[in-house]
Amino acid sequence: MKTPLKLAAALLAVMFTASASAQLKVAALHPLLGDLARQVGGDKVEVVDLLKPGGDAHHFEPTTKDFAAMKGVKIIFASGKKLEAYLPKIADTFAGSAEVVEVGRTIPSIKIEAGSEVFMCCPAHTAGGIDPHWWHSADNMRRAARVMADSMSKADPANAATYKANAEAVDQKLAALKSWAQEQISAIPRSDRKLVTSHASFSYFCKEYGFKTIPLLGISREDEASLKYVADTIKLIKEHHIRAVFADDQMNPKVLTEIVRETGVKVGKPLVADGTSTAAHTFETMLKHNVTAIVEALKP
């Protein structure tokens, strides 16, 4: 039979073990961020995913059930760049109990402008807007891993070394993925690196791999392409002998019908544009799918 002193010691040991093994609870507002948080946090972090694979990144709204699942979170990772219209509501709800980290805040934004470094032309009503899909770049995701490691270390200093080491491992993995993508894309002559997509979501990808993009719609898939803009796109496809156009995985390809009819250009495999595909909702699976589809359609 244990003495009161031994019982107290045993109780303290149990309490210490539970405290030492407690995980930092964080929430992710996008599947790509959730996957990255798991890689950086490892077994020290519990990740709550709000936007699930198959969801719509542009129109998602958190439910009462989502808010309940977020109880106890210390960090909320958001894409930022105005992708999450509901972010102010999240910030107000968890003010004082959780830090909202817009992971894309420190990543340089790409403005949608015709004749820019990456845009050949773009819908007039979208010109001047910011492309929020920054996670199509391996270098941006490497930066995001460091942002997450810093935030986790601030919230959980005892495991800072683990978060830093994990972020460094992620950095190396992403660098290797970028090298793989560059090698695959080298099969496409630079003069043929023209990417006609359903909506303006690939500018960061295009900048990283030397493409020019022509988005048929604006930032949202619900935007309308004017007859003049469709005609301008058809003209560019003919002038530059563009081999293929691409719909995205969550969009009806009928928007491309007139362009295909007028140019005879082929339609490539649908690209994962918003990073929420049920089949590709990690950066690695998304990048490999997109690069493979683009190379297959555009190489000579």
Side-chain angles (χ1 to χ4, degrees):
M1 184 174 179
K2 291 184 178 180
T3 65
L5 183 60
K6 287 182 177 180
L7 284 172
L11 180 59
L12 285 172
V14 170
M15 292 174 63
F16 176 79
T17 301
S19 176
S21 61
Q23 292 177 303
L24 173 66
K25 188 174 182 180
V26 306
L29 306 186
H30 193 285
L32 295 178
L33 297 183
D35 177 66
L36 189 62
R38 288 183 174 87
Q39 293 185 60
V40 174
D43 61 4
K44 306 299 182 185
V45 168
E46 175 190 353
V47 181
V48 177
D49 295 289
L50 261 68
L51 176 63
K52 306 294 192 297
D56 187 335
H58 291 280
H59 299 95
F60 172 76
E61 284 287 342
T63 64
T64 301
K65 185 177 178 180
D66 291 322
F67 281 108
M70 294 172 70
K71 183 179 179 180
V73 299
K74 298 302 180 184
I75 308 172
I76 301 168
F77 290 118
S79 288
K81 298 193 187 300
K82 299 183 179 180
L83 180 65
E84 300 100 346
Y86 57 87
L87 198 56
K89 182 179 179 181
I90 290 274
D92 288 343
T93 301
F94 292 91
S97 62
E99 179 187 13
V100 176
V101 177
E102 294 185 45
V103 182
R105 181 183 292 275
T106 63
I107 294 170
S109 298
I110 293 180
K111 186 178 291 188
I112 301 173
E113 293 179 320
S116 71
E117 179 184 2
V118 294
F119 286 96
M120 291 185 70
C121 66
C122 56
H125 66 281
T126 306
I130 297 298
D131 180 357
H133 308 80
W134 57 263
W135 21 254
H136 275 298
S137 156
D139 284 344
N140 287 349
M141 289 295 279
R142 294 166 74 183
R143 190 168 186 166
R146 294 192 292 272
V147 169
M148 285 188 172
D150 289 344
S151 298
M152 291 176 185
S153 297
K154 180 181 175 182
D156 180 23
N159 290 308
T162 297
Y163 302 137
K164 181 180 179 182
N166 289 347
E168 289 174 351
V170 170
D171 186 89
Q172 293 177 17
K173 178 182 177 181
L174 291 172
L177 281 170
K178 179 182 176 180
S179 295
W180 170 85
Q182 289 172 321
E183 181 180 355
Q184 299 300 307
I185 290 169
S186 67
I188 305 173
R190 289 196 171 273
S191 59
D192 289 338
R193 294 184 193 178
K194 310 291 191 304
L195 197 63
V196 182
T197 61
S198 292
H199 73 294
S201 55
F202 283 91
S203 63
Y204 299 90
F205 175 93
C206 289
K207 181 177 180 180
E208 190 146 280
Y209 300 109
F211 283 79
K212 285 274 192 176
T213 182
I214 306 171
L216 290 175
L217 306 177
I219 296 170
S220 171
R221 294 187 301 274
E222 278 66 43
D223 289 339
E224 293 291 333
S226 68
L227 292 176
K228 179 182 183 305
Y229 184 65
V230 171
D232 289 343
T233 301
I234 289 171
K235 181 179 178 182
L236 283 171
I237 288 172
K238 290 179 177 179
E239 286 179 353
H240 294 274
H241 307 289
I242 294 173
R243 298 173 181 274
V245 296
F246 300 89
D248 71 56
D249 62 306
Q250 293 183 320
M251 184 173 184
N252 189 323
K254 68 179 182 180
V255 69
L256 303 173
T257 301
E258 178 66 15
I259 288 173
V260 172
R261 187 179 71 81
E262 289 292 328
T263 63
V265 70
K266 64 183 176 182
V267 179
K269 291 179 180 177
L271 303 180
V272 177
D274 288 333
T276 59
S277 167
T278 54
H281 50 269
T282 69
F283 177 77
E284 180 175 4
T285 55
M286 179 182 72
L287 181 69
K288 287 185 174 180
H289 171 87
N290 288 341
V291 167
T292 300
I294 291 168
V295 171
E296 183 180 284
L298 295 183
K299 71 179 180 180

